[in-house]
Amino acid sequence: MNREDLAAALELHATDAAHGAALALRAGAAFKVWEKLKPAHQYLDIYAWRAECMAQDGVSTCKDFEQGLPDLQRAGDDPVALGRVDTAEGTHLVFLAADLKSCVAVL
């Protein structure tokens, strides 16, 4: 997947995290998208558990988790590709539809 296609997919997703990741990509941020597809619920299980652990440790979950986890949950069993965009603020995890043309969630 190239930079422009990933930025376009992120721009279609109406969350602050997706917008920030798209801006970072257009400014030259490093990124990676893995080709292997997995059902969205497998990622949801991992990241919902991570958010729960963070909350138990007194670390409030970030806005990206608050917006992204419900999006990932709605994807259910749909296959998604995992990617990442490295911004100045940190790494955004990007979940893309199987066709890689639309963004499902950003954490």
Side-chain angles (χ1 to χ4, degrees), residues 8-24:
L10 286 164
E11 288 171 345
L12 294 173
H13 195 68
T15 65
D16 295 338
H19 178 72
L23 286 175

Side-chain angles (χ1 to χ4, degrees), residues 2-104:
N2 68 43
R3 177 180 305 279
E4 181 58 33
D5 289 343
L6 180 54
L10 286 164
E11 288 171 345
L12 294 173
H13 195 68
T15 65
D16 295 338
H19 178 72
L23 286 175
L25 276 170
R26 296 210 186 275
F31 72 98
K32 171 83 175 164
V33 175
W34 290 272
E35 294 181 18
K36 185 171 179 151
L37 301 176
K38 289 188 176 188
H41 72 84
Q42 288 184 3
Y43 291 114
L44 176 66
D45 293 344
I46 293 165
Y47 288 101
W49 174 76
R50 182 174 178 210
E52 185 179 318
C53 290
M54 290 168 56
Q56 288 175 358
D57 289 343
V59 178
S60 63
T61 58
C62 65
K63 186 176 182 181
D64 297 352
F65 272 56
E66 292 170 9
Q67 292 178 338
L69 287 176
D71 290 341
L72 198 54
Q73 184 174 26
R74 280 189 286 280
D77 290 331
D78 293 347
V80 295
L82 175 63
R84 72 162 210 275
V85 176
D86 299 321
T87 69
E89 296 80 33
T91 298
H92 287 287
L93 298 174
V94 176
F95 301 88
L96 300 164
D99 64 4
L100 305 179
K101 296 191 185 297
S102 63
C103 177
V104 173

